[in-house]
Amino acid sequence: MAISVYATRLFMGEYLADKIRREWKDHDIDVVIPIPDSSRPSALQLANHLGIPFREGFVKNRYIGRTFIMPGQAMRKKSVRQKLNAISIEFKGKNVLLVDDSIVRGTTSREIVQMARDAGARKVYFASAAPPVKFPNVYGIDMPTRRELIATGRTDEEICREISADRIIYQDLEDLKAAVTKANPAIRDFDASCFDGRYITGDITPEYLDMVEAARSGKPKEPEPSDDQMELDLAMSATSL
């Protein structure tokens, strides 16, 4: 069964706009800017539904590949700067809502937020058209391990601090599913494993993910900490906050 990706992204923008209306009624967003290219439909529909100007604030170099799959953080960070150029007039003195299709490691998002600030943005908000990516894809997409995914083990507030944004807005998983169903009502079952950790084949266990991650790192898996050690680590973490 076919699904229009374009239509789905439009609906994702609508649901994001609804979430902002619901949870951030007093927002001070001046302009909505997409991270080119895939987030453009969602950003455009979000802006239309909120009645906020939509602007193209980034020029994309089409000769740079996908940054989230590049090896090494230094290379990914450098590639983001080579891939995008900010148009200062669209940022200067404005409260900007950046819209991307997803946040994976957070390296790209952090660099883009800084680029917006360097271009003169007063505040930088970040919206993800996808829910938090917390689990790897094991069905063919070369995605990072759990410990490399910025959303694993972090709250939205912690992720917001990690990417240095003023506020972060994630799509809700149920709204993402609703957007897909709206694009094709015949679709009822989903593999949302990257978001909820429920793998549709039913044979992907935490132990399997541990084995894959250990193989990728080239290191043997470390033994699980004891309950006493976990309590000590938690106590030390709480003390450091």
Side-chain angles (χ1 to χ4, degrees), residues 21-216:
R21 282 202 194 98
R22 186 172 63 249
E23 298 184 2
W24 192 11
K25 297 178 181 179
D26 59 344
H27 72 79
D28 57 352
I29 303 167
D30 294 320
V31 63
V32 174
I33 293 178
I35 311 303
D37 288 310
S38 54
S39 66
R40 189 172 286 115
S42 296
L44 180 59
Q45 199 75 337
L46 184 155
N48 287 339
H49 275 250
L50 291 180
I52 298 172
F54 172 89
R55 293 288 186 270
E56 296 284 356
F58 292 102
V59 177
K60 183 178 180 181
N61 178 349
R62 300 184 182 279
Y63 297 98
I64 302 294
R66 297 302 300 272
T67 54
F68 85 89
I69 60 174
M70 290 181 175
Q73 183 156 325
M75 181 180 291
R76 291 191 292 270
K77 183 174 179 180
K78 180 181 179 182
S79 295
V80 173
R81 294 281 179 164
Q82 293 174 335
K83 184 175 184 177
L84 297 175
N85 290 298
I87 304 172
S88 296
I89 194 173
E90 301 295 358
F91 293 93
K92 192 171 183 180
K94 299 176 184 178
N95 297 333
V96 178
L97 176 64
L98 303 178
V99 181
D100 207 349
D101 53 2
S102 62
I103 304 173
V104 184
R105 285 185 172 94
T107 305
T108 300
S109 305
R110 189 181 304 114
E111 285 299 307
I112 291 172
V113 168
Q114 188 57 52
M115 289 172 68
R117 295 196 191 281
D118 293 344
R122 184 166 58 241
K123 292 182 181 178
V124 182
Y125 308 123
F126 206 101
S128 169
V133 179
K134 298 182 178 181
F135 301 90
N137 181 287
V138 298
Y139 300 127
I141 300 176
D142 186 15
M143 287 184 65
T145 59
R146 285 168 295 180
R147 64 177 177 273
E148 295 176 275
L149 297 168
I150 193 171
T152 303
R154 290 187 176 94
T155 64
D156 288 2
E157 291 74 19
E158 290 169 335
I159 297 168
C160 187
R161 288 195 296 271
E162 284 289 325
I163 68 171
S164 301
D166 292 291
R167 184 166 183 148
I168 195 167
I169 306 101
Y170 272 107
Q171 185 84 262
D172 291 334
L173 179 54
E174 291 308 310
D175 285 345
L176 176 63
K177 292 179 180 180
V180 176
T181 302
K182 197 171 181 180
N184 185 343
I187 303 297
R188 293 296 177 185
D189 296 321
F190 303 89
D191 173 22
S193 53
C194 293
F195 310 119
D196 60 13
R198 299 184 186 126
Y199 293 91
I200 198 166
T201 54
D203 56 353
I204 307 301
T205 64
E207 291 74 23
Y208 175 82
L209 294 178
D210 289 340
M211 180 185 69
V212 171
E213 291 172 1
R216 286 188 58 160

